[in-house]
Amino acid sequence: MSEQTTQDPAAGERPSGVVIVGAGMAGVQTAVALREQGFTGPVTLIGAEPHQPYDRPPLSKAVLLGKAEDSAFDVDFEALDITLRLGLDVAGLRAGAHELDTPEGPVAYDVLILATGAEPVALPGSEGVPGVHLLRTLDDAARLRPVLERQHDVVVVGAGWIGAEFATAARAAGCAVTVVEAAGRPLAGTMPAEVAEPMAAWYAESGAELLTGARVARVEQGAVHLADGRVIPAGAVVVGIGARPATAWLDGSGIALGPDGSVTADSALRTSLPDVYAVGDCASFPSARYGERLLVHHWDNALQGPRTVAAALADGAVRTYDPVPYFWSEQFGRFVQYAGHHAGADTLLWRGDPGDPSWTVCWLRQGVLVAVLAVSRPRDLAQGRKLVEAGARIDPERAADSSVPLKSTVLQG
């Protein structure tokens, strides 16, 4: 994250009250960061769910497998003088009045921070069908836990990150698992073919069946019907075909949204309305580093963005947010980590054999390292992430030698 700062001419006096909509990672981190940065005004955190604010990544792992009851954040909100309003839906925003509309009446704000995250995309025609599940909330995980305990035959629709993680958990619980993917390979929307294809072997290795190029025609209780006529028995169906920013409630508010539904924040995470910021999965931001607007649906973005906004609100100095995106995924006995953004890369380098338990891929643009994917090679990821942040130019020949530390491949001058 860049530490460039400028004085905000519109900052004026420090705001006397901050309202945060969304009590997930981004919202909680914003509230906590405000206090850590020395903000002393009122802070209110509004969450639509009735549960204490919780972290989402464990839902597809420890919580789902019954190794943990929940994943509540270890935050003493009372000690931090943060007001929680849980189980409260926010229906609209009236910018002129500086108010939010809720079933319990209007909520006024001096500064508003949007942290509503993303919501899963439903499989068309599956709404209301018994046995069809999404996995996004604590309640979703609670409904799915008995499915795994009873070792139902499970069909997972979508071979993306969440599909792979759920398939991993279901196999660990002893379920028979079939993963149905409309594209010709896993991770088709996020990874190039030569990188995603080796990952397809992980499914069979774990005992799960992966069907690619398989489109779902319809889902009924107990079965998934494919477009080619195949019928797959399903004690449960778990849908993991993507997520979209949870911003429908902002229609008509004056907040500018992108074609993907994201709040189009500026480089300081300010929205198109005064006194309104946006952080986490619901917001896109312009990246000077990568020369395009990014929408990052990952935990690290929900951690870093709030610190930028909180610092600005605490001292009135605007900070530019331009991070190196980072995420990780635990699947099929492997720890997969990614740092950077490879869309504009012109060179792909392998470090190691993708048939081995651990390997790394590096992406370069005009000789500069722009992204790293490391499979069970945490040292490569740690070193590569720093090099991406530094905009380092590396020696492709040395970088392709997995015995050479990545930090030793930097070209000087």
Side-chain angles (χ1 to χ4, degrees):
M1 181 175 65
S2 171
E3 289 301 324
Q4 303 169 39
T5 63
T6 57
Q7 193 65 31
D8 184 352
E13 296 181 0
R14 296 182 184 181
S16 60
V18 175
V19 174
I20 304 162
V21 181
M25 179 68 171
V28 168
Q29 285 299 320
T30 302
V32 171
L34 281 165
R35 294 303 188 220
E36 290 176 344
Q37 297 283 353
F39 180 81
T40 57
V43 175
T44 300
L45 182 62
I46 298 176
E49 295 182 58
H51 310 291
Q52 279 292 114
Y54 61 89
D55 202 7
R56 294 191 189 280
L59 297 184
S60 61
K61 305 174 185 72
V63 174
L64 190 60
L65 290 171
K67 297 177 181 178
E69 285 303 313
D70 59 36
S71 55
F73 290 110
D74 185 17
V75 175
D76 190 335
F77 293 99
E78 185 176 356
L80 291 173
D81 194 23
I82 295 168
T83 300
L84 290 182
R85 298 192 65 178
L86 303 177
L88 181 63
D89 283 311
V90 178
L93 162 61
R94 287 177 289 111
H98 268 51
E99 285 184 343
L100 298 168
D101 290 323
T102 80
E104 297 178 9
V107 175
Y109 66 86
D110 292 320
V111 171
L112 175 65
I113 300 172
L114 307 176
T116 47
E119 54 196 6
V121 175
L123 184 67
S126 69
E127 296 88 342
V129 177
V132 177
H133 302 265
L134 298 169
L135 179 53
R136 183 72 184 180
T137 69
L138 187 60
D139 289 339
D140 291 338
R143 284 188 288 267
L144 274 166
R145 190 189 295 183
V147 171
L148 300 193
E149 289 173 349
R150 294 169 191 154
Q151 298 186 336
H152 285 295
D153 290 352
V154 176
V155 173
V156 180
V157 181
W161 300 111
I162 191 67
E165 291 188 358
F166 181 81
T168 299
R171 286 299 301 137
C175 298
V177 178
T178 302
V179 180
V180 177
E181 170 57 52
R185 62 182 186 273
L187 300 173
T190 56
M191 289 291 145
E194 61 264 50
V195 176
E197 283 172 357
M199 297 177 172
W202 299 354
Y203 288 80
E205 180 186 299
S206 76
E209 183 176 10
L210 173 63
L211 303 179
T212 56
R215 295 189 174 276
V216 175
R218 74 178 194 278
V219 177
E220 62 185 32
Q221 186 172 7
V224 174
H225 295 256
L226 301 183
D228 61 10
R230 284 179 290 179
V231 180
I232 307 171
V237 177
V238 178
V239 178
I241 56 175
R244 63 168 64 93
T247 56
W249 68 281
L250 292 169
D251 287 348
S253 68
I255 293 281
L257 302 178
D260 54 13
S262 66
V263 177
T264 53
D266 69 7
S267 60
L269 299 179
R270 297 170 295 196
T271 74
S272 58
L273 291 181
D275 305 319
V276 183
Y277 294 76
V279 294
D281 290 5
C282 72
S284 63
F285 56 90
S287 171
R289 183 191 305 274
Y290 293 106
E292 61 181 284
R293 179 168 286 274
L294 300 181
L295 174 61
V296 180
H297 281 182
H298 295 297
W299 188 90
D300 192 64
N301 180 53
L303 175 67
Q304 302 296 341
R307 294 172 178 172
T308 298
V309 171
L313 294 180
D315 65 15
V318 178
R319 285 147 175 91
T320 298
Y321 185 63
D322 196 2
V324 171
Y326 167 74
F327 71 87
W328 77 94
S329 175
E330 296 176 76
Q331 52 183 269
F332 307 118
R334 293 166 173 85
F335 187 42
V336 182
Q337 295 172 282
Y338 177 92
H341 181 65
H342 66 266
D346 52 40
T347 303
L348 185 152
L349 297 176
W350 288 91
R351 285 170 58 81
D353 185 333
D356 291 341
S358 63
W359 45 270
T360 297
V361 173
C362 298
W363 285 271
L364 281 63
R365 183 176 61 213
Q366 298 179 343
V368 175
L369 185 65
V370 294
V372 178
L373 174 76
V375 177
S376 300
R377 291 182 65 104
R379 183 174 299 177
D380 272 4
L381 190 287
Q383 293 181 11
R385 187 179 185 182
K386 291 179 180 177
L387 297 180
V388 172
E389 288 173 346
R393 187 175 302 277
I394 66 173
D395 181 337
E397 193 170 316
R398 285 175 59 77
D401 184 345
S402 60
S403 69
V404 176
L406 268 178
K407 64 181 181 181
S408 300
T409 68
V410 178
L411 293 171
Q412 303 302 321

